[in-house]
């Protein structure tokens, strides 16, 4: 990956929020942190006009996206495949955006996140993993999936790092609004 592609910019990024659904969240020990950090990323992405996509795993059975996320995204793409790339025209839509960097948030790390990451990287896209906006039912599955994805070329990061990388400068017109989101997220 070239240095330019390693840098996240609003104009070269897509945020994909994967399967943050209430029935699934009930099994996630870090659910509150996941939702807080994913909503933070969504709020920053909206301010900076980063493209956003969202998915739901088999919503007929697993229900809809949790309310905090749902009010921040357009209609999620329903899927039965674990990889988002197996959902209809998802991959083609991502490729048509011509934004080579894909930031993944959601769950579960060792299933839908990992399979999506592998498919996106096979398609030539660069995957960024804000680890504090990813979750799984068990720490072991979550941690090993992160290690596997990193060894395959995905870039681990955090939601705050993504936000600061997108904004780049304290003179950015949205810096104060993003600073407020950071403070609100931290509860400071």
């Amino acid at each position: 990956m070239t240095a330019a592609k390693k840098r996240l910019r609003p104009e070269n990024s897509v945020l994909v929020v994967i399967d943050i659904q209430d029935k699934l969240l009930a099994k996630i020990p870090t659910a509150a942190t996941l939702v807080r950090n994913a909503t933070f990323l969504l709020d920053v992405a909206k301010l900076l006009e980063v493209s956003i996509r969202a998915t739901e795993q088999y919503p007929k059975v697993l229900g809809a996206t949790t309310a905090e996320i749902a009010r921040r995204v357009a209609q999620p793409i329903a899927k039965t495949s674990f990889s988002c790339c197996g959902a209809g025209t998802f991959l083609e839509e991502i490729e048509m955006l011509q934004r080579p960097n894909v930031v993944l948030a959601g769950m579960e790390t060792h299933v839908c996140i990992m399979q999506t990451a592998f498919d996106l990287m096979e398609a030539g896209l660069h995957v960024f993993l804000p680890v504090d906006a990813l979750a799984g039912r068990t720490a072991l599955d979550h941690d090993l999936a992160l290690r596997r994805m990193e060894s395959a070329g995905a870039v681990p990061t955090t939601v705050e790092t993504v936000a600061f990388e997108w904004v780049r400068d304290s003179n950015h017109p949205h810096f104060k609004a993003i600073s407020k989101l950071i403070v609100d997220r931290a509860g400071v």
Side-chain angles (χ1 to χ4, degrees):
M1 189 180 326
T2 66
K5 290 181 181 173
K6 287 183 183 179
R7 300 294 302 269
L8 292 170
R9 302 283 185 257
E11 65 276 4
N12 75 10
S13 300
V14 179
L15 172 60
V16 178
V17 180
I18 301 172
D19 307 346
I20 304 182
Q21 297 159 254
D22 286 325
K23 281 190 179 178
L24 296 172
L25 278 171
K27 308 285 187 195
I28 304 294
T30 59
T33 300
L34 169 65
V35 171
R36 183 180 67 244
N37 290 331
T39 58
F40 168 78
L41 264 182
L42 283 163
D43 291 344
V44 172
K46 282 190 184 264
L47 276 171
L48 300 175
E49 300 179 6
V50 172
S51 290
I52 298 168
R53 297 294 183 274
T55 64
E56 291 174 338
Q57 182 66 32
Y58 201 31
K60 180 177 168 183
V61 173
L62 298 174
T65 298
T66 197
E68 282 294 304
I69 302 296
R71 68 174 153 256
R72 290 171 166 87
V73 298
Q75 179 62 43
I77 300 164
K79 64 184 183 66
T80 55
S81 63
F82 297 125
S83 172
C84 294
C85 296
T89 59
F90 175 87
L91 181 58
E92 291 82 8
E93 290 175 29
I94 295 293
E95 291 174 329
M96 284 190 316
L97 292 170
Q98 296 185 320
R99 294 177 175 220
N101 295 325
V102 183
V103 177
L104 301 180
M107 57 192 205
E108 280 193 73
T109 312
H110 67 294
V111 186
C112 297
I113 300 293
M114 188 170 73
Q115 290 188 35
T116 300
F118 288 158
D119 285 348
L120 290 170
M121 289 185 290
E122 284 177 9
L125 297 163
H126 309 289
V127 174
F128 292 79
L129 304 168
V131 298
D132 49 348
L134 299 171
R137 283 169 289 132
T138 71
L140 180 63
D141 284 331
H142 172 77
D143 294 342
L144 287 175
L146 289 173
R147 287 173 42 197
R148 258 188 90 188
M149 289 183 283
E150 182 179 11
S151 71
V155 179
T157 188
T158 66
V159 296
E160 196 167 307
T161 300
V162 170
F164 279 110
E165 199 166 343
W166 277 340
V167 79
R168 293 184 71 191
D169 191 307
S170 63
N171 287 323
H172 190 285
H174 293 297
F175 178 74
K176 285 187 181 178
I178 291 169
S179 292
K180 182 177 179 345
L181 291 171
I182 289 168
V183 169
D184 291 349
R185 179 178 143 264
V188 177

